[in-house]
């Protein structure tokens, strides 16, 4: 069933010893009389290939003079009926039905159009167009043109031609030219030349475009997806992002679509059914691997938790089985993860904050504005927010001095007396130096009854040597105690050892050493399969707390090559509590620090209630370092902008100040 020279990666295969007439009779018996044997129907249909199902339909017609699909529709109901009937149609006719439903009646299901047309091969597109004509006696292109508009329509029409280049021979000169043309059509142009995006992304071969995306990252410092989000909008933006995702990895695109279909409240059953049916004989095994790698959970288990009854049983049969425990890769998936690491190792992404020094800065003028905002009855919070959030930290320190010189007053004390609640914490935090602010957060985490380990982990595992040393000095100056002593007295065991090691600020800062990285990976791999728990934490500490970030990235790559496991999953499997959380935080920070903070920001706002302490702390501490990068990761990970989530989850002047720090909508 696989193309010549390729390994079959579907989950549904031809049934051995297949007999169409025998199966037709079994289905007839399952549906005759009062009620129907749904179990027998799902067992039979999900264990036959599509080609065999088509033969069963023909045999059923010959034996009983009846239409099998019509009988199945009559006997079954709801989601289970939709799933079984979809399985009975040939793939091209199933796609044609989905598209017909997407554009029929009032409104259009753009997500369905995007999913199908962005992901299908040239041959699949040609088959779809022919099937649509045969089934509905209508021209698919004409129907789509009549139901869509603008650049979205133009790109759909390009994809409908099924003329993407398929030559694997790639010209380096053309790769460089296309990357340059895309950059000039978007980031370097006032307005956007959408036609250039449509031409290149709609026509070039997958192999060519993957190299174009790599080249684009090198010359622009950002992935093509980030530029598309910044330059395009609406359904056109969503379509182009889907095209890029399918070029990079069709399996990853569908894994993401499946996860979104089931996460949160409610299930998008139409999407779930469409993907499970359409990919079951193409790349379901690849989708399963990516799903487990990306979401630390098997597709099988997520379907099991999110659906019920015969519908669930049929979906699980199409899934083709549960995978190993979370974090354990198939060899193929491990190599995909390894290649992703290789790519990330060469990509030099510039870290960018959202708060920059004010160009026409006047410390005395700002001091006067702040004094006026706090003088007399009432407080002008808006004026305070505008000044404090739009000045760099160095400029804020100058304003504090100018305020003292001009009025003989302590600006921090005045702000504290005039502001309250979450806004006061945010504004006062911004007025401290980064080291003073981190020192204060650490002090709060260890003083009094109980310890806030999550704060200790967040700060100590993500700061560089220079930042750690500045924190130590600020802590000593503010509290007349050594940070190391407070950490030692307030924590214990391996967790204490991790924090004390990090508090030294002595992490190596050199480049990777391949030989050493292989030795380090072997140490971690050996101890991961060793029963000595003490040796496990000690060895992880000696490597994760002391090696440079570039070196650790190489260690993690080598670890995957040796074990088919990701190091974070190995940690989660063998450790627990604060030790596990600290090591995982280090790993995630090394891999992608902006993504680590994006995840923490999302968790601080999702669900009931808001963790304002975490939200405030991260927005303050990252605003001049990498908050722009965090915004990009946030939308990549959660399909929503940080700006929108803050807007929805907070209110009043606190919201206004956070949005000013956020620096704009994505």
């Amino acid at each position: 069933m696989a193309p010549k020279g390729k390994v079959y990666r579907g989950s549904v295969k031809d049934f051995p010893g297949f007999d169409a007439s025998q199966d037709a009779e079994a289905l007839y018996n399952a549906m005759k009389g009062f009620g129907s044997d749904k179990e027998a129907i799902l067992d039979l249909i999900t264990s036959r290939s599509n080609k065999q199902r088509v033969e069963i339909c023909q045999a059923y017609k010959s034996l009983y003079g009846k239409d099998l699909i019509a009988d199945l529709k009559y006997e079954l109901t709801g989601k289970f009926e939709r799933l079984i009937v979809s399985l009975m149609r040939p793939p091209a006719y199933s796609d044609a039905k989905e598209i017909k439903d997407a554009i029929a009646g009032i409104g259009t299901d753009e997500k369905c159009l995007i999913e199908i047309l962005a992901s299908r091969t040239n041959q699949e597109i040609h088959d779809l167009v022919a099937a649509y004509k045969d089934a509905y006696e209508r021209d698919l292109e004409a129907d789509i043109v009549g139901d869509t508009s603008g650049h979205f329509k133009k790109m759909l029409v390009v994809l409908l031609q099924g003329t993407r280049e398929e030559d694997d021979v790639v010209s380096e000169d053309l790769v460089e030219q296309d990357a340059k043309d895309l950059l000039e059509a978007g980031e370097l142009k006032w307005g956007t030349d959408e036609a250039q995006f449509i031409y290149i992304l709609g026509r070039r071969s997958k192999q060519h475009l993957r190299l174009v995306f790599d080249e684009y990252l090198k010359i622009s410092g950002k992935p093509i997806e980030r530029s598309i989000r910044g330059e395009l909008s609406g359904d056109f933006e969503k379509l182009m992002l889907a095209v890029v995702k399918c070029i990079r990895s069709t399996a990853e695109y569908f894994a993401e679509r499946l996860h979104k279909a089931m996460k949160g409240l409610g299930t998008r059953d139409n999407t779930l059914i469409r993907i499970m049916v359409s990919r079951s004989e193409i790349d379901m095994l690849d989708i399963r691997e990516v799903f487990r790698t990306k979401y630390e959970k098997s597709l099988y288990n997520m379907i099991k938790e999110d659906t019920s009854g015969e519908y669930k049983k049929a979906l699980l049969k199409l899934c083709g089985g549960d995978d190993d425990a979370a974090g354990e890769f198939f060899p193929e998936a491990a190599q995909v993860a390894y290649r992703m690491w290789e790519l990330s190792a060469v990509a030099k992404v510039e870290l960018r904050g959202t708060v920059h020094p004010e160009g026409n800065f006047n410390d005395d003028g700002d001091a006067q504005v702040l004094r006026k905002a706090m003088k007399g009855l009432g407080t002008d919070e808006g004026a305070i927010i505008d000044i404090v959030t739009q000045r760099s930290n160095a400029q804020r320190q100058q304003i504090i001095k100018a305020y003292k010189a001009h009025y003989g007053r302590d600006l921090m004390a005045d702000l504290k007396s005039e502001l309250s609640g979450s806004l006061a914490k945010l504004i006062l935090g911004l007025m401290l130096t980064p080291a003073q602010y981190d020192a204060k957060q650490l002090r709060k985490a260890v003083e009094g009854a109980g310890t806030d380990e999550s704060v200790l982990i967040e700060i100590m595992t993500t700061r560089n040597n220079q930042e750690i040393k500045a924190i130590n000095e600020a802590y000593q100056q503010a509290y007349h105690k050594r940070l190391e002593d407070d950490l030692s007295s307030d924590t214990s065991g391996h967790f204490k050892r991790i924090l004390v090691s990090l508090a030294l600020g002595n992490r190596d800062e050199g480049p990777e050493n391949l030989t050493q990285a292989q030795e380090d990976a072997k140490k971690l791999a050996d101890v991961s399969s060793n029963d000595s728990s003490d040796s496990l934490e000690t060895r992880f500490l000696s490597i994760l707390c002391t090696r440079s970030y570039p070196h650790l990235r190489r260690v993690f790559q080598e670890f995957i090559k040796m074990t088919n496991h990701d190091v974070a999953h190995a940690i989660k499997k063998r450790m627990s509590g604060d030790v596990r959380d600290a090591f995982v935080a280090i790993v995630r920070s090394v891999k992608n620090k902006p993504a680590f903070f994006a995840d923490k920001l999302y968790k601080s706002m999702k669900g009931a209630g808001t963790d304002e302490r975490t939200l405030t702390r991260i927005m303050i501490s990252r605003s001049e370092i990498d908050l722009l990068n965090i915004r990009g990761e946030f939308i990549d990970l959660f399909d929503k902008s940080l700006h929108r989530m803050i807007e929805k989850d907070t209110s009043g002047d606190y919201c206004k100040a956070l949005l000013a720090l956020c620096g704009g909508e994505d």
Side-chain angles (χ1 to χ4, degrees), residues 545-558:
C545 295
T546 63
R547 305 290 195 253
S548 72
Y549 272 30
H551 180 81
L552 284 174
R553 288 190 189 101
R554 178 57 66 180
V555 172
F556 299 161
Q557 292 171 25
E558 296 302 321

Side-chain angles (χ1 to χ4, degrees), residues 132-144:
Y132 192 90
K133 185 79 170 174
D134 180 51
Y136 307 110
E137 297 181 351
R138 296 177 65 89
D139 181 70
L140 177 54
E141 183 179 325
D143 280 359
I144 283 180

Side-chain angles (χ1 to χ4, degrees), residues 38-48 84 313 317:
K38 297 180 179 68
E39 192 88 30
I41 293 169
L42 79 87
D43 278 342
L44 193 151
I45 289 175
T46 58
S47 58
R48 304 301 187 266
I84 294 298
K313 290 175 186 173
K317 292 264 282 183

Side-chain angles (χ1 to χ4, degrees), residues 86-126:
S86 293
L87 285 166
M88 299 308 298
R89 295 190 184 102
Y93 284 82
S94 189
D95 279 351
K97 174 74 165 63
E98 290 290 329
I99 286 185
K100 186 75 170 73
D101 290 345
I103 58 179
I106 299 169
T108 306
D109 183 353
E110 290 85 3
K111 288 180 180 176
C112 174
L113 295 181
I114 290 169
E115 179 194 300
I116 291 174
L117 296 180
S119 65
R120 301 314 191 239
T121 64
N122 287 345
Q123 188 57 55
E124 287 166 344
I125 292 286
H126 296 153

Side-chain angles (χ1 to χ4, degrees), residues 14 96 233 250 271 286 288 322 458-459 501 557 563 570 583 634:
D14 283 333
S233 62
T250 308
T271 301
D286 296 321
R288 274 170 44 185
D322 195 3
E458 179 197 304
I459 294 175
S501 176
Q557 292 171 25
T563 67
F583 281 142
F634 196 96

